[in-house]
Amino acid sequence: MKRKKLGQYLRKKKCRWNSWNHFYCGINEQIIRETADALISTGLSKLGYQYVNIDDCWAEENRDASGSFVPKKSTFPSGIKALADYVHSKGLKLGIYSDAGHKTCSEKMPGSLGHEEHDAKTFAEWGIDYLKYDNCFNDGIKPIVRYPVMTKALAKAGRPIFFSLCEWGDMHPATWGFPVGNSWRTTNDITDNWQRADQNERWADYAKPGGWNDPDMLEVGNGGMTKDEYVTHFSIWAISKAPLLVGCDVRNMSKDTKEILTNEEVIAVNQDPLGVQAKKVRMEGDWEVWAGPLTGCRIALLLVNRGPDRHNITAQWDDIGLDLKAVMEVRDLWEHKTLEQKFVGNLTATLETHGSKMYVLKPAP
């Protein structure tokens, strides 16, 4: 599988669900099947959420006599191939987890270090579409040595498999990840709180179609933030072109959670084929202005208030790449309306604490 073909195949397929943030090791095949069903019934699948990804703890602690992974009998009695067949029957894709070390991070499964070709072939035979590849128990071998071994193994396996490098930003994978995988974690593990929102931005210049900076899975719907904070969290991931990895229980979403995850206009910014990651173009005290180009001579704009109080935030045209005299039509992506006023030179909005406003700007007719 050549790199160009892999990049084309996986260019826009970035919306996914992953089991870890909500279920941790408490997963089983029923949860995965019900999640696949829920992606269909909630309409998430039609918005691009196509991957159902099993994280750590799906296998027995030991391989079988032939050296193969053994799906955990108590939780995955039907096996992974049967689960993949079920997920595929829904028009979705199945992802799985392994580790570029001797054990996975939970210490409950063997890793793939030294077994790369065998495991890649197994995953392909099972019908796997995505591999999250972690970084624990690695004998101190550098990621830039370990991860390309699996890249080559997947290329020989005969099936397109999205390769997610989960090495936590250890050796700045944005600088070397594109020939190796389709996305690369740029940070440590996420937690469900407001403090972690933008550690990915410094690597913006390295993201492009087929290779994405990954600041970890979304926490939207897991209960640790306010709605405004979750809206800001989702908006930053979207404008950053980060993989949208849903990490909540989609079988039991609140109205607010569904509203955030199904915002088609925000998702469209994330999936824009130009594939340019937005940057933080201004930051003064507690307020931030993010901006990045979109197809069709448009600009995505995000205003963020990190402070404890209400705040007016202004985006200046020269900060976001526009001529000061440009007349712009402005679409509010969370209010789903085009503002009546045409804007020249700047745009100002009033934001609540930890709140945000996300817009798409285009030349006024």
Side-chain angles (χ1 to χ4, degrees):
M1 182 166 46
K2 294 181 180 179
R3 174 72 219 188
K4 182 179 179 182
K5 182 178 179 182
L6 182 62
Q8 290 172 343
Y9 177 80
L10 301 164
R11 177 177 287 264
K12 288 187 66 178
K13 297 180 179 178
K14 297 190 291 173
C15 298
R16 312 175 187 105
W17 175 87
N18 182 281
S19 60
W20 186 256
N21 282 5
H22 186 84
F23 294 99
Y24 301 98
C25 277
I27 53 170
N28 57 53
E29 63 181 45
Q30 181 179 350
I31 289 172
I32 301 304
R33 287 172 182 260
E34 290 177 354
T35 296
D37 294 341
L39 290 177
I40 302 296
S41 64
T42 59
L44 284 167
S45 64
K46 292 182 179 179
L47 298 177
Y49 297 94
Q50 293 286 312
Y51 288 80
V52 184
N53 292 350
I54 308 167
D55 212 285
D56 203 350
C57 309
W58 59 267
E60 299 285 3
E61 292 186 17
N62 297 303
R63 295 172 179 269
D64 65 17
S66 67
S68 298
F69 282 120
V70 179
K72 197 171 183 179
K73 291 181 175 60
S74 62
T75 51
F76 292 88
S78 302
I80 303 301
K81 176 65 166 65
L83 194 54
D85 290 344
Y86 182 83
V87 171
H88 291 157
S89 76
K90 301 290 181 178
L92 303 174
K93 300 178 184 297
L94 186 70
I96 209 159
Y97 168 98
S98 190
D99 191 284
H102 295 296
K103 290 189 293 184
T104 64
C105 296
S106 70
E107 302 185 51
K108 297 181 183 297
M109 281 177 51
S112 290
L113 187 63
H115 299 266
E116 290 88 353
E117 284 200 19
H118 188 95
D119 292 349
K121 183 179 179 182
T122 298
F123 296 148
E125 290 173 348
W126 285 347
I128 295 299
D129 304 293
Y130 179 110
L131 173 62
K132 175 183 174 181
Y133 205 45
D134 223 332
N135 196 30
C136 292
F137 301 102
N138 54 52
D139 287 348
I141 305 170
K142 292 182 179 180
I144 56 175
V145 174
R146 287 177 287 113
Y147 280 81
V149 179
M150 182 57 84
T151 305
K152 294 175 183 176
L154 291 172
K156 292 172 61 176
R159 180 180 179 84
I161 296 177
F162 188 105
F163 190 25
S164 171
L165 316 181
C166 184
E167 63 94 270
W168 325 319
D170 177 10
M171 293 192 71
H172 309 316
T175 63
W176 53 267
F178 186 75
V180 180
N182 302 106
S183 66
W184 38 84
R185 276 278 297 281
T186 53
T187 64
N188 287 324
D189 288 354
I190 196 169
T191 54
D192 189 12
N193 64 65
W194 168 249
Q195 298 306 315
R196 164 77 176 276
D198 64 347
Q199 298 174 18
N200 196 48
E201 190 259 350
R202 63 182 292 199
W203 306 110
D205 288 339
Y206 294 93
K208 52 188 168 183
W212 310 102
N213 290 318
D214 175 13
D216 206 3
M217 298 165 283
L218 292 161
E219 291 284 5
V220 178
N222 284 327
M225 297 187 234
T226 67
K227 182 182 178 181
D228 282 348
E229 289 170 345
Y230 278 138
V231 166
T232 301
H233 174 39
F234 192 76
S235 298
I236 290 175
W237 260 238
I239 203 170
S240 300
K241 305 303 188 295
L244 297 180
L245 275 155
V246 175
C248 67
D249 185 355
V250 294
R251 304 170 304 169
N252 299 290
M253 289 187 292
S254 69
K255 180 182 177 182
D256 285 347
T257 296
K258 185 176 180 181
E259 178 187 329
I260 294 168
L261 295 179
T262 59
N263 188 319
E264 295 185 53
E265 296 189 75
V266 175
I267 293 171
V269 169
N270 178 260
Q271 298 287 296
D272 185 76
L274 192 62
V276 176
Q277 180 173 328
K279 296 180 180 180
K280 195 186 304 182
V281 296
R282 288 294 298 274
M283 181 177 68
E284 292 189 19
D286 291 324
W287 64 263
E288 299 173 355
V289 177
W290 297 64
L294 302 172
T295 52
C297 300
R298 298 173 302 146
I299 289 179
L301 174 65
L302 178 65
L303 310 181
V304 177
N305 177 15
R306 291 186 175 277
D309 303 306
R310 206 174 192 214
H311 207 297
N312 290 333
I313 298 178
T314 299
Q316 301 288 348
W317 269 201
D318 54 349
D319 289 331
I320 65 176
L322 290 173
D323 185 281
L324 285 173
K325 296 181 180 179
V327 182
M328 304 302 290
E329 182 178 281
V330 177
R331 177 75 177 176
D332 187 320
L333 303 190
W334 287 103
E335 295 294 331
H336 301 293
K337 65 181 181 182
T338 300
L339 304 187
E340 293 183 7
Q341 176 186 352
K342 301 297 188 293
F343 291 81
V344 181
N346 62 68
L347 181 156
T348 299
T350 303
L351 274 64
E352 302 298 333
T353 176
H354 297 180
S356 59
K357 282 285 189 179
M358 191 170 184
Y359 305 103
V360 167
L361 282 59
K362 68 178 183 180

